[in-house]
Coordinates of all heavy atoms in Angstrom, one line a residue:
M298 N 112.8 -72.1 -66.5 CA 111.6 -72.5 -67.3 C 110.6 -71.3 -67.4 O 110.2 -71.1 -68.5 CB 111.0 -73.7 -66.6 CG 109.9 -74.3 -67.4 SD 110.6 -75.1 -68.8 CE 109.3 -76.1 -69.3
R299 N 110.4 -70.7 -66.3 CA 109.5 -69.5 -66.3 C 110.1 -68.4 -67.2 O 109.4 -67.7 -67.9 CB 109.2 -69.1 -64.9 CG 107.9 -68.4 -64.8 CD 107.5 -68.1 -63.4 NE 108.6 -68.2 -62.4 CZ 108.5 -67.8 -61.1 NH1 107.4 -67.2 -60.7 NH2 109.5 -67.9 -60.3
W300 N 111.4 -68.2 -67.1 CA 112.1 -67.2 -67.9 C 111.9 -67.5 -69.4 O 111.7 -66.5 -70.2 CB 113.5 -67.2 -67.5 CG 114.4 -66.2 -68.2 CD1 115.2 -66.4 -69.2 CD2 114.3 -64.8 -68.1 NE1 115.8 -65.3 -69.7 CE2 115.2 -64.2 -69.0 CE3 113.6 -63.9 -67.2 CZ2 115.5 -62.9 -69.1 CZ3 113.9 -62.6 -67.3 CH2 114.8 -62.1 -68.3
T301 N 112.0 -68.7 -69.8 CA 111.8 -69.1 -71.2 C 110.4 -68.7 -71.7 O 110.3 -68.2 -72.8 CB 112.1 -70.6 -71.4 OG1 113.4 -70.9 -70.9 CG2 112.1 -71.0 -72.9
F302 N 109.4 -69.0 -70.9 CA 108.1 -68.7 -71.4 C 107.8 -67.2 -71.4 O 107.1 -66.7 -72.3 CB 107.0 -69.4 -70.4 CG 106.9 -70.8 -70.6 CD1 107.1 -71.7 -69.6 CD2 106.5 -71.4 -71.8 CE1 107.0 -73.1 -69.7 CE2 106.4 -72.7 -72.0 CZ 106.6 -73.6 -71.0
L303 N 108.4 -66.5 -70.5 CA 108.3 -65.0 -70.5 C 109.0 -64.4 -71.7 O 108.4 -63.6 -72.3 CB 108.9 -64.5 -69.2 CG 108.9 -63.0 -69.1 CD1 107.5 -62.4 -69.0 CD2 109.7 -62.5 -67.9
M304 N 110.1 -64.9 -72.0 CA 110.8 -64.4 -73.2 C 110.1 -64.7 -74.5 O 109.9 -63.9 -75.4 CB 112.3 -64.9 -73.3 CG 113.2 -64.3 -72.2 SD 113.2 -62.5 -72.1 CE 114.0 -62.2 -73.6
A305 N 109.6 -66.0 -74.6 CA 108.8 -66.4 -75.8 C 107.5 -65.5 -75.9 O 107.1 -65.1 -77.0 CB 108.4 -67.8 -75.7
G306 N 106.9 -65.2 -74.7 CA 105.7 -64.4 -74.7 C 106.0 -63.0 -75.2 O 105.2 -62.3 -75.9
L307 N 107.1 -62.4 -74.8 CA 107.5 -61.1 -75.2 C 107.8 -61.0 -76.7 O 107.5 -60.0 -77.3 CB 108.7 -60.6 -74.4 CG 108.5 -60.2 -72.9 CD1 109.8 -59.9 -72.2 CD2 107.5 -59.0 -72.9
V308 N 108.4 -62.0 -77.2 CA 108.7 -62.1 -78.6 C 107.4 -62.1 -79.4 O 107.3 -61.4 -80.4 CB 109.6 -63.3 -79.0 CG1 109.7 -63.5 -80.5 CG2 111.0 -63.1 -78.4
V309 N 106.5 -63.0 -79.0 CA 105.2 -63.1 -79.7 C 104.5 -61.8 -79.6 O 103.9 -61.3 -80.6 CB 104.4 -64.2 -79.1 CG1 102.9 -64.2 -79.6 CG2 105.0 -65.6 -79.4
F310 N 104.5 -61.1 -78.4 CA 103.8 -59.8 -78.3 C 104.5 -58.8 -79.2 O 103.7 -58.0 -79.8 CB 103.9 -59.4 -76.8 CG 103.3 -58.1 -76.5 CD1 101.9 -58.0 -76.5 CD2 104.0 -57.0 -76.3 CE1 101.3 -56.8 -76.2 CE2 103.4 -55.8 -76.0 CZ 102.1 -55.7 -76.0
A311 N 105.8 -58.7 -79.3 CA 106.5 -57.8 -80.1 C 106.1 -58.0 -81.6 O 105.9 -57.0 -82.3 CB 108.0 -57.8 -79.9
W312 N 106.1 -59.2 -82.0 CA 105.7 -59.4 -83.4 C 104.2 -59.1 -83.7 O 103.9 -58.6 -84.7 CB 105.9 -60.9 -83.8 CG 107.4 -61.2 -84.1 CD1 108.4 -60.3 -84.4 CD2 108.0 -62.5 -84.1 NE1 109.5 -60.9 -84.6 CE2 109.4 -62.3 -84.4 CE3 107.5 -63.7 -83.9 CZ2 110.2 -63.3 -84.5 CZ3 108.4 -64.8 -84.0 CH2 109.8 -64.6 -84.3
G313 N 103.4 -59.3 -82.7 CA 102.0 -59.0 -82.9 C 101.7 -57.5 -82.9 O 100.7 -57.1 -83.6
C314 N 102.5 -56.7 -82.3 CA 102.3 -55.3 -82.3 C 103.1 -54.6 -83.4 O 103.0 -53.3 -83.5 CB 102.8 -54.7 -80.9 SG 101.8 -55.2 -79.5
K315 N 103.8 -55.3 -84.2 CA 104.6 -54.7 -85.3 C 103.6 -54.1 -86.3 O 102.6 -54.7 -86.7 CB 105.4 -55.8 -85.9 CG 106.4 -55.3 -87.0 CD 107.2 -56.4 -87.5 CE 108.1 -56.0 -88.6 NZ 108.9 -57.1 -89.2
K316 N 103.9 -52.9 -86.8 CA 103.1 -52.3 -87.8 C 103.1 -53.1 -89.1 O 104.1 -53.7 -89.4 CB 103.6 -50.9 -88.1 CG 103.2 -49.9 -87.0 CD 103.5 -48.5 -87.4 CE 103.1 -47.5 -86.4 NZ 103.2 -46.2 -86.8
D317 N 102.0 -53.0 -89.9 CA 102.0 -53.7 -91.2 C 102.9 -53.0 -92.1 O 102.7 -51.8 -92.5 CB 100.5 -53.7 -91.7 CG 100.4 -54.4 -92.9 OD1 101.2 -55.3 -93.2 OD2 99.4 -54.2 -93.6
S318 N 103.9 -53.7 -92.6 CA 104.9 -53.1 -93.5 C 104.6 -53.5 -94.9 O 105.4 -53.3 -95.8 CB 106.3 -53.4 -93.1 OG 106.4 -54.8 -93.2
S319 N 103.4 -54.1 -95.2 CA 103.2 -54.6 -96.6 C 102.8 -53.4 -97.5 O 102.9 -53.5 -98.7 CB 102.0 -55.6 -96.5 OG 100.8 -54.9 -96.1
D320 N 102.5 -52.2 -96.9 CA 102.2 -51.1 -97.7 C 103.5 -50.3 -98.0 O 104.2 -49.8 -97.1 CB 101.2 -50.2 -96.9 CG 100.9 -48.9 -97.7 OD1 100.7 -49.0 -98.9 OD2 100.8 -47.8 -97.1
D321 N 103.8 -50.2 -99.3 CA 104.9 -49.4 -99.7 C 104.4 -47.9 -99.6 O 103.2 -47.6 -99.6 CB 105.4 -49.7 -101.1 CG 104.4 -49.5 -102.2 OD1 103.2 -49.2 -101.9 OD2 104.8 -49.6 -103.3
N322 N 105.3 -47.0 -99.5 CA 104.9 -45.6 -99.3 C 104.8 -44.9 -100.6 O 104.9 -43.7 -100.7 CB 106.0 -44.9 -98.4 CG 106.0 -45.4 -97.0 OD1 104.9 -45.8 -96.5 ND2 107.1 -45.5 -96.4
T323 N 104.4 -45.6 -101.7 CA 104.2 -45.0 -103.0 C 102.8 -44.3 -103.0 O 101.8 -44.9 -102.6 CB 104.2 -46.1 -104.1 OG1 105.5 -46.8 -103.9 CG2 104.1 -45.4 -105.4
V324 N 102.8 -43.1 -103.4 CA 101.6 -42.3 -103.5 C 101.0 -42.5 -104.9 O 101.7 -42.3 -105.9 CB 101.8 -40.8 -103.2 CG1 100.5 -40.0 -103.4 CG2 102.3 -40.7 -101.8
Y325 N 99.7 -42.9 -105.0 CA 99.0 -43.1 -106.2 C 98.0 -42.0 -106.4 O 97.4 -41.5 -105.4 CB 98.4 -44.5 -106.3 CG 99.4 -45.6 -106.2 CD1 99.5 -46.3 -105.0 CD2 100.2 -46.0 -107.2 CE1 100.4 -47.3 -104.8 CE2 101.0 -47.1 -107.1 CZ 101.2 -47.7 -105.9 OH 102.0 -48.8 -105.8
N326 N 97.6 -41.8 -107.6 CA 96.4 -40.9 -107.9 C 95.2 -41.8 -108.0 O 95.2 -42.8 -108.7 CB 96.7 -40.1 -109.2 CG 97.8 -39.1 -109.0 OD1 97.9 -38.5 -108.0 ND2 98.6 -39.0 -110.1
W327 N 94.1 -41.3 -107.3 CA 92.9 -42.1 -107.3 C 91.7 -41.3 -107.7 O 91.6 -40.1 -107.4 CB 92.6 -42.6 -105.9 CG 93.7 -43.5 -105.3 CD1 94.7 -43.1 -104.6 CD2 93.8 -44.9 -105.4 NE1 95.5 -44.2 -104.2 CE2 94.9 -45.3 -104.7 CE3 93.0 -45.9 -106.0 CZ2 95.3 -46.6 -104.6 CZ3 93.4 -47.2 -105.9 CH2 94.5 -47.5 -105.2
K328 N 90.8 -41.9 -108.5 CA 89.5 -41.3 -108.7 C 88.6 -41.9 -107.6 O 88.5 -43.1 -107.5 CB 89.0 -41.7 -110.1 CG 87.6 -41.2 -110.4 CD 87.1 -41.7 -111.7 CE 85.7 -41.4 -111.9 NZ 85.1 -42.1 -113.1
R329 N 88.0 -41.0 -106.8 CA 87.2 -41.4 -105.7 C 85.7 -41.0 -105.9 O 85.4 -39.8 -106.0 CB 87.7 -40.8 -104.4 CG 87.0 -41.1 -103.2 CD 87.7 -40.6 -101.9 NE 87.7 -39.2 -101.9 CZ 88.2 -38.4 -100.9 NH1 88.9 -39.0 -99.9 NH2 88.1 -37.1 -100.9
D330 N 84.9 -42.0 -106.0 CA 83.4 -41.8 -106.2 C 82.7 -42.0 -104.8 O 83.0 -43.0 -104.1 CB 82.8 -42.7 -107.2 CG 83.4 -42.5 -108.6 OD1 83.7 -41.4 -108.9 OD2 83.5 -43.5 -109.3
L331 N 81.8 -41.2 -104.4 CA 81.1 -41.3 -103.2 C 79.7 -41.8 -103.6 O 79.0 -41.2 -104.4 CB 81.0 -40.0 -102.5 CG 80.2 -40.0 -101.2 CD1 80.9 -40.9 -100.1 CD2 80.1 -38.6 -100.6
Y332 N 79.2 -42.8 -102.9 CA 77.9 -43.4 -103.1 C 77.1 -43.4 -101.8 O 77.7 -43.6 -100.7 CB 78.0 -44.8 -103.6 CG 78.4 -44.9 -105.0 CD1 79.8 -45.0 -105.4 CD2 77.5 -44.9 -106.1 CE1 80.2 -45.1 -106.7 CE2 78.0 -45.0 -107.4 CZ 79.3 -45.1 -107.7 OH 79.7 -45.2 -109.0
R333 N 75.8 -43.2 -101.9 CA 74.9 -43.3 -100.8 C 74.0 -44.5 -101.0 O 73.5 -44.7 -102.2 CB 74.1 -42.0 -100.6 CG 73.1 -42.1 -99.5 CD 72.3 -40.8 -99.3 NE 71.5 -40.5 -100.5 CZ 70.3 -41.0 -100.8 NH1 69.8 -41.9 -100.1 NH2 69.7 -40.6 -101.9
G334 N 73.7 -45.2 -100.0 CA 72.8 -46.4 -100.2 C 71.4 -45.9 -100.4 O 70.9 -44.9 -99.9
A335 N 70.7 -46.7 -101.2 CA 69.3 -46.4 -101.5 C 68.4 -46.6 -100.3 O 68.6 -47.6 -99.6 CB 68.8 -47.2 -102.7
I336 N 67.5 -45.7 -100.0 CA 66.7 -45.7 -98.8 C 65.4 -46.5 -99.1 O 64.8 -46.2 -100.1 CB 66.3 -44.3 -98.3 CG1 67.6 -43.6 -97.8 CG2 65.4 -44.4 -97.1 CD1 67.4 -42.2 -97.5
T337 N 65.1 -47.5 -98.3 CA 63.9 -48.3 -98.5 C 63.0 -48.1 -97.3 O 63.5 -47.8 -96.2 CB 64.2 -49.8 -98.7 OG1 64.9 -50.3 -97.6 CG2 65.1 -50.0 -100.0
K338 N 61.7 -48.4 -97.4 CA 60.8 -48.3 -96.3 C 61.0 -49.4 -95.3 O 60.6 -49.3 -94.2 CB 59.4 -48.3 -96.8 CG 59.0 -47.0 -97.6 CD 57.6 -47.0 -98.0 CE 57.2 -45.7 -98.7 NZ 55.9 -45.7 -99.2
E339 N 61.6 -50.5 -95.8 CA 61.7 -51.7 -95.0 C 62.8 -51.6 -94.0 O 62.9 -52.3 -93.0 CB 61.9 -53.0 -95.8 CG 60.7 -53.4 -96.7 CD 60.6 -52.6 -98.0 OE1 61.7 -52.2 -98.5 OE2 59.5 -52.3 -98.4
G340 N 63.8 -50.8 -94.3 CA 65.0 -50.7 -93.4 C 65.9 -49.5 -93.7 O 65.5 -48.7 -94.5
P341 N 67.0 -49.5 -93.0 CA 67.9 -48.4 -93.2 C 68.7 -48.4 -94.6 O 68.6 -49.5 -95.3 CB 69.0 -48.5 -92.1 CG 68.9 -50.0 -91.8 CD 67.5 -50.4 -92.1
A342 N 69.3 -47.4 -95.0 CA 70.0 -47.3 -96.2 C 71.3 -48.1 -96.0 O 72.0 -48.0 -95.0 CB 70.4 -45.9 -96.6
L343 N 71.6 -49.0 -97.0 CA 72.8 -49.8 -96.9 C 73.5 -49.7 -98.3 O 72.9 -49.8 -99.3 CB 72.5 -51.2 -96.6 CG 72.0 -51.5 -95.2 CD1 71.7 -53.0 -95.1 CD2 73.0 -51.1 -94.2
V344 N 74.8 -49.4 -98.3 CA 75.6 -49.4 -99.5 C 75.9 -50.8 -99.9 O 75.9 -51.1 -101.1 CB 76.8 -48.5 -99.3 CG1 77.7 -48.5 -100.5 CG2 76.4 -47.1 -98.9
G345 N 76.2 -51.6 -99.0 CA 76.6 -53.0 -99.4 C 76.9 -53.8 -98.1 O 76.5 -53.4 -97.0
S346 N 77.7 -54.9 -98.3 CA 78.0 -55.7 -97.1 C 79.2 -55.2 -96.4 O 79.7 -54.1 -96.7 CB 78.3 -57.1 -97.6 OG 79.4 -57.1 -98.5
T347 N 79.7 -55.9 -95.5 CA 80.9 -55.5 -94.7 C 82.1 -55.3 -95.5 O 83.0 -54.6 -95.2 CB 81.2 -56.4 -93.5 OG1 81.4 -57.7 -94.1 CG2 80.1 -56.4 -92.5
D348 N 82.2 -56.0 -96.7 CA 83.4 -55.8 -97.6 C 83.1 -54.7 -98.6 O 83.8 -54.5 -99.5 CB 83.8 -57.1 -98.2 CG 82.7 -57.7 -99.0 OD1 81.5 -57.3 -98.8 OD2 82.9 -58.7 -99.8
M349 N 82.1 -53.9 -98.3 CA 81.8 -52.6 -99.0 C 81.6 -52.8 -100.5 O 82.3 -52.1 -101.3 CB 82.8 -51.6 -98.7 CG 82.7 -51.0 -97.4 SD 83.9 -49.8 -97.0 CE 85.3 -50.8 -96.6
V350 N 80.8 -53.7 -100.9 CA 80.4 -53.8 -102.3 C 79.3 -52.8 -102.6 O 78.3 -52.7 -101.9 CB 79.9 -55.2 -102.7 CG1 79.4 -55.3 -104.1 CG2 81.0 -56.2 -102.4
I351 N 79.6 -51.9 -103.6 CA 78.6 -50.9 -104.0 C 77.4 -51.6 -104.6 O 77.5 -52.2 -105.7 CB 79.2 -49.8 -104.9 CG1 80.4 -49.2 -104.3 CG2 78.1 -48.8 -105.2 CD1 80.3 -48.5 -103.1
A352 N 76.2 -51.5 -104.0 CA 75.0 -52.1 -104.5 C 74.5 -51.4 -105.7 O 74.7 -50.2 -105.9 CB 73.9 -52.1 -103.4
P353 N 73.9 -52.2 -106.6 CA 73.4 -51.5 -107.9 C 72.3 -50.5 -107.6 O 72.2 -49.6 -108.5 CB 72.8 -52.7 -108.6 CG 72.8 -53.9 -107.8 CD 73.6 -53.6 -106.5
N354 N 71.6 -50.5 -106.5 CA 70.6 -49.5 -106.2 C 71.2 -48.3 -105.4 O 70.4 -47.5 -105.0 CB 69.4 -50.1 -105.5 CG 69.8 -50.7 -104.2 OD1 71.0 -50.9 -103.9 ND2 68.8 -51.1 -103.4
S355 N 72.5 -48.2 -105.3 CA 73.1 -47.1 -104.6 C 73.0 -45.8 -105.4 O 73.0 -45.9 -106.7 CB 74.6 -47.4 -104.3 OG 74.6 -48.5 -103.4
V356 N 73.0 -44.7 -104.8 CA 72.9 -43.4 -105.5 C 74.3 -42.7 -105.5 O 75.0 -42.6 -104.5 CB 71.9 -42.5 -104.7 CG1 71.8 -41.1 -105.4 CG2 70.6 -43.1 -104.6
Y357 N 74.7 -42.4 -106.7 CA 76.0 -41.7 -106.9 C 75.9 -40.2 -106.4 O 74.9 -39.6 -106.6 CB 76.3 -41.6 -108.4 CG 77.4 -40.6 -108.8 CD1 78.7 -41.0 -108.5 CD2 77.1 -39.4 -109.3 CE1 79.8 -40.1 -108.8 CE2 78.1 -38.5 -109.6 CZ 79.5 -38.9 -109.4 OH 80.5 -38.0 -109.7
V358 N 76.9 -39.8 -105.6 CA 76.9 -38.5 -105.0 C 77.9 -37.5 -105.6 O 77.5 -36.5 -106.1 CB 77.1 -38.5 -103.4 CG1 77.2 -37.2 -102.8 CG2 76.1 -39.4 -102.8
S359 N 79.2 -37.9 -105.6 CA 80.2 -37.0 -106.2 C 81.4 -37.8 -106.6 O 81.6 -38.9 -106.2 CB 80.5 -35.9 -105.2 OG 81.2 -36.5 -104.1
T360 N 82.3 -37.1 -107.3 CA 83.6 -37.6 -107.7 C 84.7 -36.6 -107.4 O 84.5 -35.4 -107.6 CB 83.7 -38.0 -109.2 OG1 82.7 -39.0 -109.4 CG2 85.0 -38.4 -109.6
D361 N 85.8 -37.0 -106.9 CA 87.0 -36.2 -106.7 C 88.2 -37.0 -107.0 O 88.2 -38.2 -107.1 CB 87.0 -35.4 -105.4 CG 87.0 -36.4 -104.2 OD1 86.7 -37.6 -104.4 OD2 87.3 -35.9 -103.1
F362 N 89.4 -36.3 -107.1 CA 90.6 -37.0 -107.3 C 91.6 -36.7 -106.2 O 91.7 -35.5 -105.7 CB 91.2 -36.5 -108.7 CG 90.4 -36.9 -109.8 CD1 89.4 -36.1 -110.3 CD2 90.7 -38.1 -110.5 CE1 88.6 -36.5 -111.4 CE2 89.9 -38.5 -111.6 CZ 88.9 -37.7 -112.0
V363 N 92.2 -37.7 -105.7 CA 93.1 -37.6 -104.5 C 94.4 -38.4 -104.7 O 94.4 -39.3 -105.6 CB 92.4 -38.2 -103.2 CG1 91.2 -37.3 -102.8 CG2 91.9 -39.6 -103.4
A364 N 95.4 -38.0 -104.0 CA 96.7 -38.7 -104.0 C 96.9 -39.3 -102.7 O 97.1 -38.6 -101.7 CB 97.8 -37.7 -104.3
L365 N 96.9 -40.7 -102.6 CA 97.0 -41.4 -101.4 C 97.8 -42.7 -101.6 O 97.9 -43.2 -102.7 CB 95.6 -41.9 -100.9 CG 94.5 -40.8 -100.7 CD1 93.2 -41.4 -100.5 CD2 94.9 -40.0 -99.4
T366 N 98.3 -43.2 -100.5 CA 98.9 -44.5 -100.5 C 97.8 -45.5 -100.4 O 96.7 -45.2 -100.1 CB 99.9 -44.7 -99.3 OG1 99.2 -44.6 -98.1 CG2 101.0 -43.6 -99.4
E367 N 98.2 -46.8 -100.6 CA 97.2 -47.9 -100.5 C 96.6 -47.9 -99.1 O 95.4 -48.1 -98.9 CB 97.9 -49.2 -100.8 CG 98.1 -49.5 -102.3 CD 96.9 -49.9 -103.0 OE1 95.9 -50.4 -102.4 OE2 97.0 -49.9 -104.3
S368 N 97.5 -47.7 -98.1 CA 97.1 -47.8 -96.7 C 96.1 -46.7 -96.4 O 95.0 -46.9 -95.7 CB 98.3 -47.7 -95.8 OG 97.9 -47.7 -94.4
Q369 N 96.4 -45.4 -96.8 CA 95.5 -44.3 -96.6 C 94.2 -44.5 -97.3 O 93.1 -44.2 -96.7 CB 96.2 -43.0 -97.1 CG 97.4 -42.6 -96.3 CD 98.1 -41.4 -96.9 OE1 98.1 -41.3 -98.1 NE2 98.8 -40.6 -96.1
K370 N 94.2 -45.1 -98.5 CA 93.0 -45.3 -99.2 C 92.1 -46.3 -98.4 O 90.9 -46.1 -98.3 CB 93.3 -45.9 -100.6 CG 92.0 -46.4 -101.3 CD 92.3 -47.3 -102.5 CE 92.8 -48.6 -102.1 NZ 91.9 -49.7 -102.2
N371 N 92.7 -47.4 -97.9 CA 91.9 -48.4 -97.2 C 91.3 -47.8 -95.9 O 90.2 -48.1 -95.5 CB 92.8 -49.6 -96.9 CG 93.1 -50.3 -98.1 OD1 92.4 -50.3 -99.1 ND2 94.2 -51.0 -98.1
K372 N 92.1 -46.9 -95.2 CA 91.6 -46.3 -94.0 C 90.4 -45.4 -94.3 O 89.5 -45.4 -93.5 CB 92.7 -45.5 -93.3 CG 93.7 -46.4 -92.6 CD 94.8 -45.6 -92.0 CE 95.9 -46.5 -91.4 NZ 97.0 -45.8 -90.8
Q373 N 90.5 -44.6 -95.3 CA 89.4 -43.7 -95.7 C 88.2 -44.5 -96.0 O 87.1 -44.1 -95.7 CB 89.8 -42.7 -96.8 CG 90.7 -41.6 -96.4 CD 90.9 -40.6 -97.5 OE1 90.3 -40.7 -98.5 NE2 91.8 -39.7 -97.2
K374 N 88.4 -45.5 -96.8 CA 87.3 -46.4 -97.2 C 86.5 -46.9 -96.0 O 85.3 -46.9 -96.0 CB 87.8 -47.5 -98.1 CG 86.8 -48.2 -98.9 CD 87.5 -49.2 -99.9 CE 86.7 -49.7 -100.9 NZ 87.4 -50.7 -101.8
D375 N 87.2 -47.4 -95.1 CA 86.6 -48.0 -93.9 C 86.0 -46.9 -93.0 O 84.9 -47.1 -92.4 CB 87.7 -48.8 -93.0 CG 88.2 -50.0 -93.7 OD1 87.5 -50.5 -94.6 OD2 89.2 -50.5 -93.3
S376 N 86.7 -45.8 -92.9 CA 86.2 -44.7 -92.0 C 84.9 -44.1 -92.4 O 84.0 -44.0 -91.6 CB 87.3 -43.6 -92.0 OG 86.9 -42.5 -91.2
I377 N 84.7 -43.8 -93.7 CA 83.4 -43.2 -94.1 C 82.3 -44.2 -94.0 O 81.2 -43.8 -93.7 CB 83.5 -42.6 -95.6 CG1 82.3 -41.8 -95.9 CG2 83.7 -43.7 -96.6 CD1 82.2 -40.5 -95.3
Y378 N 82.6 -45.5 -94.2 CA 81.6 -46.5 -94.2 C 81.1 -46.7 -92.7 O 79.9 -46.7 -92.5 CB 82.2 -47.8 -94.7 CG 81.2 -48.9 -94.9 CD1 80.2 -48.9 -95.8 CD2 81.2 -50.0 -94.1 CE1 79.3 -49.9 -96.0 CE2 80.3 -51.1 -94.2 CZ 79.4 -51.0 -95.2 OH 78.5 -52.0 -95.3
R379 N 82.0 -46.7 -91.8 CA 81.6 -46.8 -90.4 C 81.0 -45.6 -89.8 O 80.0 -45.7 -89.1 CB 82.9 -47.2 -89.6 CG 83.3 -48.6 -89.8 CD 84.5 -49.0 -88.9 NE 85.0 -50.3 -89.3 CZ 86.3 -50.5 -89.4 NH1 87.2 -49.5 -89.1 NH2 86.8 -51.7 -89.8
A380 N 81.6 -44.4 -90.1 CA 81.1 -43.2 -89.5 C 79.7 -42.8 -90.0 O 78.9 -42.2 -89.3 CB 82.1 -42.0 -89.9
S381 N 79.3 -43.2 -91.2 CA 78.0 -42.9 -91.7 C 77.0 -44.0 -91.4 O 75.8 -43.9 -91.9 CB 78.1 -42.8 -93.3 OG 78.4 -44.0 -93.9
G382 N 77.3 -44.9 -90.6 CA 76.4 -46.0 -90.3 C 76.0 -46.9 -91.4 O 74.9 -47.2 -91.6
R383 N 77.0 -47.2 -92.2 CA 76.9 -48.0 -93.4 C 76.0 -47.4 -94.5 O 75.4 -48.1 -95.2 CB 76.5 -49.4 -93.1 CG 77.4 -50.1 -92.1 CD 77.0 -51.5 -91.7 NE 75.7 -51.9 -92.1 CZ 75.0 -52.9 -91.6 NH1 75.5 -53.6 -90.6 NH2 73.8 -53.2 -92.0
M384 N 76.0 -46.1 -94.5 CA 75.1 -45.4 -95.5 C 75.9 -44.8 -96.7 O 75.4 -44.8 -97.8 CB 74.3 -44.3 -94.8 CG 73.3 -43.7 -95.7 SD 72.3 -42.6 -94.6 CE 71.4 -41.8 -95.9
F385 N 77.2 -44.4 -96.5 CA 78.0 -43.9 -97.5 C 79.2 -44.8 -97.7 O 79.7 -45.4 -96.8 CB 78.5 -42.5 -97.2 CG 77.4 -41.4 -97.2 CD1 76.8 -41.0 -96.1 CD2 77.1 -40.9 -98.5 CE1 75.8 -40.1 -96.2 CE2 76.1 -39.9 -98.5 CZ 75.5 -39.5 -97.4
A386 N 79.7 -44.8 -99.0 CA 80.9 -45.6 -99.2 C 81.7 -44.9 -100.4 O 81.1 -44.3 -101.3 CB 80.6 -47.0 -99.6
Y387 N 83.0 -45.0 -100.3 CA 83.9 -44.6 -101.4 C 84.2 -45.8 -102.3 O 84.4 -46.9 -101.9 CB 85.2 -44.0 -100.9 CG 85.1 -42.6 -100.3 CD1 85.7 -42.4 -99.0 CD2 84.5 -41.6 -101.0 CE1 85.7 -41.1 -98.5 CE2 84.5 -40.3 -100.4 CZ 85.1 -40.1 -99.2 OH 85.0 -38.8 -98.7
K388 N 84.3 -45.5 -103.6 CA 84.8 -46.4 -104.6 C 86.0 -45.8 -105.2 O 85.9 -44.7 -105.7 CB 83.7 -46.7 -105.6 CG 84.1 -47.7 -106.7 CD 83.0 -47.9 -107.7 CE 83.4 -48.8 -108.8 NZ 82.3 -48.9 -109.8
Y389 N 87.1 -46.5 -105.1 CA 88.4 -46.0 -105.6 C 88.8 -46.7 -106.9 O 88.6 -47.9 -107.1 CB 89.5 -46.2 -104.6 CG 89.4 -45.3 -103.4 CD1 88.7 -45.7 -102.3 CD2 90.0 -44.1 -103.4 CE1 88.6 -44.9 -101.2 CE2 90.0 -43.3 -102.3 CZ 89.2 -43.7 -101.2 OH 89.1 -42.8 -100.1
E390 N 89.4 -45.9 -107.8 CA 89.9 -46.4 -109.1 C 91.3 -45.7 -109.3 O 91.3 -44.5 -109.3 CB 88.9 -46.1 -110.2 CG 89.4 -46.7 -111.5 CD 88.3 -46.3 -112.6 OE1 87.2 -46.3 -112.3 OE2 88.8 -46.2 -113.8
K391 N 92.3 -46.5 -109.6 CA 93.6 -45.9 -109.8 C 93.6 -45.1 -111.2 O 93.1 -45.6 -112.1 CB 94.7 -46.9 -109.9 CG 95.3 -47.3 -108.6 CD 96.5 -48.1 -108.8 CE 97.0 -48.6 -107.4 NZ 98.1 -49.6 -107.5
V392 N 94.2 -43.9 -111.1 CA 94.3 -43.1 -112.3 C 95.7 -43.2 -112.8 O 96.7 -43.0 -112.1 CB 93.9 -41.7 -112.1 CG1 94.1 -40.8 -113.3 CG2 92.5 -41.6 -111.5
Q393 N 95.9 -43.6 -114.1 CA 97.2 -43.7 -114.7 C 97.7 -42.3 -115.0 O 97.1 -41.5 -115.7 CB 97.2 -44.6 -115.9 CG 96.8 -46.0 -115.7 CD 97.8 -46.7 -114.8 OE1 99.0 -46.5 -114.8 NE2 97.3 -47.6 -114.0
T394 N 98.9 -42.0 -114.5 CA 99.5 -40.7 -114.9 C 100.4 -40.8 -116.1 O 101.0 -41.9 -116.3 CB 100.4 -40.2 -113.7 OG1 101.4 -41.1 -113.4 CG2 99.5 -39.9 -112.5
K395 N 100.5 -39.8 -116.9 CA 101.2 -39.9 -118.2 C 102.6 -39.2 -118.0 O 102.9 -38.5 -117.3 CB 100.5 -39.2 -119.3 CG 99.2 -39.9 -119.6 CD 98.4 -39.3 -120.7 CE 97.1 -40.0 -120.9 NZ 96.3 -39.4 -121.9

């Protein structure tokens, strides 16, 4: 009985640690805009909520073009938002290649 629970636990643990395979390894071209949250006297600069919606009062900083997979794009988007203390955010748009 104990052996059955141990094996079931190992199977659940193995499935839980499995990498997300929903991302195909296709590289896309992206237009990446960097925005900074507007600074107010009442509080810190915020670009948006936790799902990173670019607020209308955000300040445009720069644009560049990158080649990334969907997974890499999502990691960069989360990384800049967290590292800047929710002050900077990337906005990505797929660029169609001809």
Side-chain angles (χ1 to χ4, degrees):
M298 186 71 164
R299 205 170 14 167
W300 179 255
T301 305
F302 286 122
L303 178 64
M304 291 307 291
L307 287 174
V308 169
V309 170
F310 180 74
W312 280 342
C314 294
K315 186 177 177 183
K316 286 190 176 184
D317 184 20
S318 62
S319 64
D320 179 41
D321 62 353
N322 293 327
T323 307
V324 177
Y325 300 101
N326 292 320
W327 300 91
K328 175 185 172 192
R329 180 172 69 180
D330 296 327
L331 180 63
Y332 287 90
R333 178 181 59 82
I336 298 173
T337 61
K338 291 183 180 180
E339 293 83 32
L343 292 177
V344 177
S346 62
T347 55
D348 54 349
M349 288 179 279
V350 176
I351 305 297
N354 60 350
S355 297
V356 179
Y357 167 78
V358 177
S359 67
T360 296
D361 59 343
F362 294 88
V363 293
L365 302 168
T366 64
E367 287 278 345
S368 176
Q369 291 170 332
K370 173 197 71 106
N371 293 334
K372 285 179 185 176
Q373 283 189 7
K374 196 174 192 181
D375 292 341
S376 177
I377 190 73
Y378 188 70
R379 289 186 189 133
S381 67
R383 300 179 353 197
M384 188 168 169
F385 287 97
Y387 283 132
K388 179 180 176 185
Y389 288 89
E390 183 181 327
K391 273 188 188 174
V392 176
Q393 298 295 328
T394 56
K395 296 179 183 180

